């Protein structure tokens, strides 16, 4: 993948000659013919489909619905029809388990797969889970050996629990060709999606946390004047470090912008089934992920938790210190609240989230900040904790940045229970491949879906602007994603068994800290003690081995 700078997004556009070469390679793989003219028509047709689906329903036309999802699914059936005969899966019944967060995910899959069901003859039964219920439901199926689903929407962190226990089906070669895996951004390629050298995952998402902010707040002349009058350090503007985020949050309390109460950074503090821990981690990585050390959650050789070192304790204390300056009842705000009921609704001026904020800002009925939403990688820190020396280092290069590769994205996995039935096996993989198709993925990146850009082909800005996106807006959004994916000090999440056991217990202990029941250090020590027990119960030596592998060591 091309190297990205923080100041400029190098567009990954594809010229006509390369497009024809790619089409030719794909055609040879599938035994297609027809010569150069036929290949040219194929390339043009693909471009036409991508442009067509990006107009459904249109940027600024409001939130898409089931009719739009079905239309997109129908237009993207071409790859399926090259591998599956009409009616080939008649009589096959599949069960699909996935998420129902913000009425997205599984609800979109229903629409995308409705034309697939009509064409193939297969039928799908759905298991819909709320975000907070997802981990307990999946862990129950794993622990009891009662996998009652054929297809699973799952994030890469669970691969140790599922693929490591032999519960997933290995991806056939025809699926790899159909979905064009080489188009994935580099950090989503192997070993992500693989286990013991076998490929199991179709990526449908990238996932990193980026920084979203209100451009009107940080360009407001009255706030700039007040900032200076109150002794604010430097010029009033978008914070670049967590130290600046904390100062801006404190300053904004009691101020107004356009007649509305102003707030700074929004912390989600209510437990969220383990997923809320990512938001604390995004505050922590700049403090805790040293450029000279790949680890930031555990020590590499011992699995000793780092959650109670100085970097994490400072992070937790930052949240405690910021609580008085956040909206009332923030203790009961989970990430859905901060993202979709506060920030997009106009409350708060800074938030860390997955790419959903950018894709919703101008395409969702709920958003009022589409014209004033800006993006960057996560803030840095003036210093970074060196876990090896126990000291805080100031880097010669300036602030330390360490984007959080939170969750490594959602994927589609087929369960091993279909392997004994060849017809059902092919049907399950065909459904999964349809959801992970290259063209369909562009639509899910551009519109509210629960997913964000994750393919190299998603970074062609011309496609986005022709769809109706403002060039400055989409350039900033895509740069925040690509600069995170490709950052040399990115904080990579470990794909180890039980990772959400660690996260869930951390959320429970953090809730006590934020409620004022224990101080930051005590809470962090309690998390560390609980993490040690989890590691011992799973098997320390095995966890060390898998942790090293997940970090590329």
């Amino acid at each position: 993948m091309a190297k990205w700078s923080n100041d400029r997004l190098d567009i990954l556009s594809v010229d006509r000659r390369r497009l024809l070469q790619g089409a030719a390679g794909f055609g040879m793989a599938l035994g297609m013919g027809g010569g150069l003219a036929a290949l040219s028509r194929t390339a043009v047709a693909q471009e036409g489909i991508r442009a067509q689906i990006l107009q459904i329903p249109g940027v600024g036309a409001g939130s898409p619905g089931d009719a739009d999802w079905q239309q997109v699914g129908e237009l993207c059936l071409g790859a399926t029809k090259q591998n599956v005969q009409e009616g080939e899966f008649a009589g096959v019944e599949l069960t699909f388990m996935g998420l129902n967060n913000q009425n997205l995910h599984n609800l979109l899959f229903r629409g995308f797969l409705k034309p697939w069901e009509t064409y193939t003859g297969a039928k799908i039964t759905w298991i819909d889970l709320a975000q907070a219920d997802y981990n307990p439901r999946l862990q129950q199926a794993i622990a009891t050996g009662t996998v009652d689903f054929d297809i699973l929407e799952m994030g890469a962190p669970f691969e140790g629990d599922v693929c490591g226990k032999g519960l997933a089906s290995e991806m056939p070669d025809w699926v790899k060709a159909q979905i064009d895996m080489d188009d994935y951004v580099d950090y989503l390629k192997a070993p992500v999606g693989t286990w013991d050298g076998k490929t199991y995952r179709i990526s449908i998402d990238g996932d990193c946390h980026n920084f979203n902010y209100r451009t009107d707040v940080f360009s407001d002349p009255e706030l700039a004047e007040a900032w200076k009058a109150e002794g604010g350090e430097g010029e009033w503007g978008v914070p670049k470090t967590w130290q600046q985020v904390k100062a801006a949050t404190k300053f904004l309390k009691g101020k107004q912008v356009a007649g509305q109460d102003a707030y700074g950074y929004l912390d989600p503090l209510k437990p969220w089934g383990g997923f809320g821990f990512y938001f604390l981690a995004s505050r922590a990585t700049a403090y805790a992920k040293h450029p000279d050390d790949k680890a930031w959650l555990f020590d590499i050789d011992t699995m000793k938790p780092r959650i109670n070192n100085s970097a994490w304790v400072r992070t937790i204390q930052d949240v405690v210190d910021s609580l008085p300056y956040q909206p009332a009842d923030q203790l009961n705000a989970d990430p859905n609240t901060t993202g979709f009921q506060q920030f997009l609704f106009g409350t708060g001026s800074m938030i860390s989230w997955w790419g959903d904020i950018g894709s919703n800002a101008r395409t969702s009925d709920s958003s009022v900040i589409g014209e004033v939403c800006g993006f960057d990688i996560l803030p840095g820190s003036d210093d970074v904790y060196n876990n090896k020396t126990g000291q805080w280092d100031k880097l010669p290069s300036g602030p330390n940045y360490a984007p959080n590769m939170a969750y490594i994205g959602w994927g589609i996995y087929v369960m091993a229970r279909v392997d004994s039935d060849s017809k059902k096996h092919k049907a399950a993989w065909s459904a999964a491949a349809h959801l992970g198709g290259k063209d369909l993925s562009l639509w899910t990146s551009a519109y509210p879906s629960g997913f964000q850009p994750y393919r190299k082909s998603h970074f062609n800005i011309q496609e986005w602007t022709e769809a109706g996106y403002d060039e400055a807006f989409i350039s900033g959004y895509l740069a925040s994603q690509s600069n995170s994916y490709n950052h040399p000090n990115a904080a990579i999440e470990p794909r180890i068994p039980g990772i959400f056991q660690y996260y869930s217990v951390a959320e429970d202990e953090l809730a006590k800290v934020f409620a004022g029941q224990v101080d930051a250090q005590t809470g962090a020590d309690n998390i560390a003690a609980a993490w040690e027990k989890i590691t011992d119960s799973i098997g320390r030596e095995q966890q060390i081995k898998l942790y090293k592998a997940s970090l590329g060591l």
Side-chain angles (χ1 to χ4, degrees):
M1 190 169 182
K3 181 179 179 182
W4 309 92
S5 71
N6 287 328
D7 299 315
R8 176 179 175 271
L9 179 65
D10 294 321
I11 302 171
L12 291 173
S13 58
V14 184
D15 62 36
R16 175 69 57 187
R17 180 172 57 84
R18 289 175 55 207
L19 187 60
L20 290 175
Q21 290 172 343
F26 185 68
M28 290 173 64
L30 297 177
M32 296 165 57
L36 185 59
L39 292 173
S40 180
R41 287 194 297 271
T42 300
V44 171
Q46 184 183 22
E47 285 185 338
I49 288 173
R50 291 169 72 85
Q52 188 175 352
I53 62 176
L54 284 180
Q55 297 299 328
I56 305 172
V59 176
S63 299
D66 184 61
D68 300 307
W69 305 329
Q70 290 192 43
Q71 187 178 2
V72 171
E74 178 72 35
L75 288 167
C76 294
L77 268 180
T80 294
K81 292 178 179 180
Q82 293 181 10
N83 288 313
V84 178
Q85 297 296 315
E86 185 171 4
E88 183 175 339
F89 303 142
V92 173
E93 296 184 4
L94 300 169
T95 300
F96 191 120
M97 189 169 91
L99 203 64
N100 185 22
N101 188 16
Q102 290 294 311
N103 292 320
L104 300 173
H105 294 260
N106 264 18
L107 293 190
L108 273 72
F109 297 158
R110 279 174 168 82
F112 294 150
L113 284 169
K114 185 74 70 175
W116 178 90
E117 289 180 276
T118 300
Y119 174 77
T120 67
K123 299 297 180 186
I124 298 176
T125 300
W126 298 89
I127 301 174
D128 303 322
L129 300 174
Q131 190 100 35
D133 298 331
Y134 181 88
N135 179 50
R137 176 65 167 82
L138 179 59
Q139 294 300 334
Q140 179 188 33
I142 295 169
T144 60
T146 54
V147 174
D148 57 348
F149 43 86
D150 304 303
I151 307 173
L152 174 66
E153 179 196 23
M154 185 181 78
F158 290 104
E159 288 176 355
D161 294 307
V162 174
C163 303
K165 291 181 171 65
L167 299 177
S169 175
E170 184 180 0
M171 183 187 296
D173 288 340
W174 65 266
V175 174
K176 296 177 184 179
Q178 179 173 323
I179 63 176
D180 189 5
M181 294 184 72
D182 190 55
D183 188 42
Y184 291 171
V185 294
D186 289 343
Y187 109 98
L188 289 180
K189 294 180 179 179
V192 170
T194 70
W195 203 262
D196 289 335
K198 297 180 180 179
T199 302
Y200 294 99
R201 162 188 166 115
I202 294 177
S203 289
I204 58 169
D205 185 24
D207 273 0
C208 62
H209 272 191
N210 65 336
F211 188 56
N212 308 269
Y213 59 86
R214 289 272 297 272
T215 59
D216 56 336
V217 171
F218 292 105
S219 62
D220 187 279
E222 293 184 6
L223 288 178
E225 185 176 337
W227 174 260
K228 185 176 182 180
E230 295 178 26
E233 184 177 344
E235 298 295 322
W236 176 247
V238 179
K240 296 296 183 183
T241 66
W242 286 109
Q243 289 86 352
Q244 293 171 359
V245 168
K246 187 175 181 180
T249 299
K250 183 176 181 180
F251 163 76
L252 284 169
K253 182 65 179 279
K255 305 292 194 303
Q256 287 199 330
V257 174
Q260 301 292 320
D261 290 338
Y263 293 97
Y265 187 80
L266 302 174
D267 281 299
L269 304 176
K270 183 180 178 180
W272 205 39
F275 288 90
F277 181 76
Y278 287 111
F279 293 81
L280 181 76
S282 286
R283 267 186 172 269
T285 50
Y287 296 158
K289 174 61 181 68
H290 197 286
D292 296 335
D293 189 350
K294 287 196 172 186
W296 56 285
L297 278 172
F298 303 92
D299 285 348
I300 291 173
D301 295 319
T302 64
M303 279 294 290
K304 178 183 177 182
R306 295 188 180 182
I307 189 71
N308 60 338
N309 70 14
S310 295
W312 284 93
V313 172
R314 179 200 276 186
T315 303
I316 298 168
Q317 189 62 49
D318 277 358
V319 178
V320 172
D321 292 344
S322 297
L323 264 174
Y325 306 100
Q326 299 197 38
D329 201 31
Q330 198 68 12
L331 283 174
N332 288 316
D334 65 21
N336 271 345
T337 301
T338 59
F340 297 94
Q341 297 172 31
Q342 290 182 322
F343 189 75
L344 288 175
F345 269 29
T347 296
S349 57
M350 296 173 283
I351 188 173
S352 299
W353 233 90
W354 289 285
D356 305 67
I357 298 301
S359 61
N360 276 264
R362 294 197 178 188
T363 59
S364 170
D365 293 335
S366 64
S367 174
V368 300
I369 52 93
E371 300 300 320
V372 294
C373 190
F375 312 95
D376 205 343
I377 65 171
L378 291 176
S381 171
D382 295 329
D383 52 3
V384 56
Y385 186 67
N386 188 327
N387 199 73
K388 296 176 181 177
T389 65
Q391 303 294 318
W392 287 90
D393 294 343
K394 282 187 174 292
L395 304 179
S397 57
N400 182 58
Y401 293 90
N404 181 19
M405 300 294 101
Y407 200 57
I408 324 181
W410 290 98
I412 303 295
Y413 301 75
V414 173
M415 297 296 99
R417 76 178 200 153
V418 307
D419 288 348
S420 60
D421 184 332
S422 60
K423 187 175 180 180
K424 193 170 187 178
H425 175 268
K426 184 177 180 181
W429 275 112
S430 177
H434 180 58
L435 293 179
K438 185 174 181 177
D439 294 336
L440 191 147
S441 73
L442 177 63
W443 190 95
T444 61
S445 297
Y447 286 98
S449 63
F451 314 118
Q452 64 192 59
Y454 69 94
R455 288 175 172 269
K456 296 176 182 179
S457 58
H458 291 162
F459 293 87
N460 181 350
I461 290 179
Q462 184 177 348
E463 284 191 309
W464 295 75
T465 56
E466 290 177 352
Y469 272 95
D470 174 75
E471 184 171 356
F473 175 94
I474 198 59
S475 295
Y477 173 65
L478 291 177
S480 74
Q481 304 291 312
S482 58
N483 291 339
S484 298
Y485 290 151
N486 296 288
H487 199 281
N489 194 36
I492 305 298
E493 181 175 18
R495 298 180 304 134
I496 56 176
I499 191 64
F500 266 74
Q501 295 179 49
Y502 295 103
Y503 292 169
S504 295
V505 74
E507 284 188 348
D508 293 340
E509 295 299 329
L510 288 166
K512 300 174 186 177
V513 177
F514 301 147
Q517 298 174 12
V518 296
D519 62 25
Q521 184 67 65
T522 301
D525 289 339
N526 291 341
I527 297 171
W531 282 12
E532 289 279 41
K533 291 180 180 179
I534 293 171
T535 298
D536 286 333
S537 68
I538 295 174
R540 188 171 297 269
E541 292 305 314
Q542 179 71 1
Q543 290 293 78
I544 291 171
K545 176 183 176 182
L546 296 176
Y547 184 47
K548 287 182 176 180
S550 72
L551 296 177
L553 299 173

